[in-house]
Amino acid sequence: MLKTTVFSQIIRGEILADILYQDQYITAFRDVSPKAPIHILIVPNIQISTLNDVLKSDTYMLGRMVMTAISIAKNEGIAESGYRLIMNCNKDGGQEVYHIHLHLLGGRPLGAILDR
Ligand code: DGP
């Protein structure tokens, strides 16, 4: 049994978040600690700890995460100026919450992919 994450609690409505989109597969909400003017997390409703735990049967859900990020980028008005999608995996990847999530960042020039 996986230890519940803050994201599972947001999805279940136990913790408040600014939810922009939800369906039977995924939930999208604003990051509590934004690193850019637009910083949104797209998260599967089922808890998958890391990218290493993704199964072939998750392919549709992963595609839905990306398609939803693109749609939200358009709604937020950053599709043309540009944005970045990031998924962090494990310690060296900078993962803090062990429930996979796609970061959608934009609203300013984001610079090089890595700053160090
Ligand atoms: P990562 O380092 O890739 O695991 O990113 C985790 C992100 O989750 C980080 O940008 C901050 C965000 N986050 C952590 N706790 C909460 C929370 O309670 N609410 C919201 N909305 N975001 C959170």
Side-chain angles (χ1 to χ4, degrees):
M1 188 71 170
L2 292 174
K3 190 170 171 284
T4 197
T5 67
V6 68
F7 293 169
S8 292
Q9 291 177 289
I10 287 171
I11 291 159
R12 290 198 297 261
E14 294 165 7
I15 291 182
L16 212 59
D18 186 359
I19 294 179
L20 302 174
Y21 178 79
Q22 188 161 44
D23 64 23
Q24 69 183 104
Y25 300 99
I26 59 166
T27 301
F29 50 89
R30 291 191 197 278
D31 195 291
V32 77
S33 163
K35 308 295 186 297
I38 306 289
H39 188 172
I40 291 158
L41 302 172
I42 300 100
V43 176
N45 293 341
I46 53 160
Q47 188 181 334
I48 301 171
S49 297
T50 78
L51 281 172
N52 297 330
D53 303 305
V54 163
L55 303 173
K56 259 194 182 153
S57 55
D58 297 318
T59 302
Y60 178 80
M61 179 272 293
L62 286 167
R64 203 159 175 85
M65 288 169 70
V66 173
M67 293 309 293
T68 300
I70 295 166
S71 168
I72 292 174
K74 289 177 181 164
N75 288 342
E76 294 284 320
I78 58 171
E80 295 311 316
S81 53
Y83 55 90
R84 182 172 294 158
L85 301 181
I86 300 175
M87 292 183 86
N88 296 325
C89 182
N90 276 336
K91 193 162 134 285
D92 281 3
Q95 186 173 4
E96 290 169 4
V97 178
Y98 281 76
H99 183 146
I100 63 165
H101 47 283
L102 183 61
H103 294 259
L104 165 62
L105 295 140
R108 68 167 168 82
L110 296 170
I113 184 105
L114 295 174
D115 53 16
R116 66 185 158 86

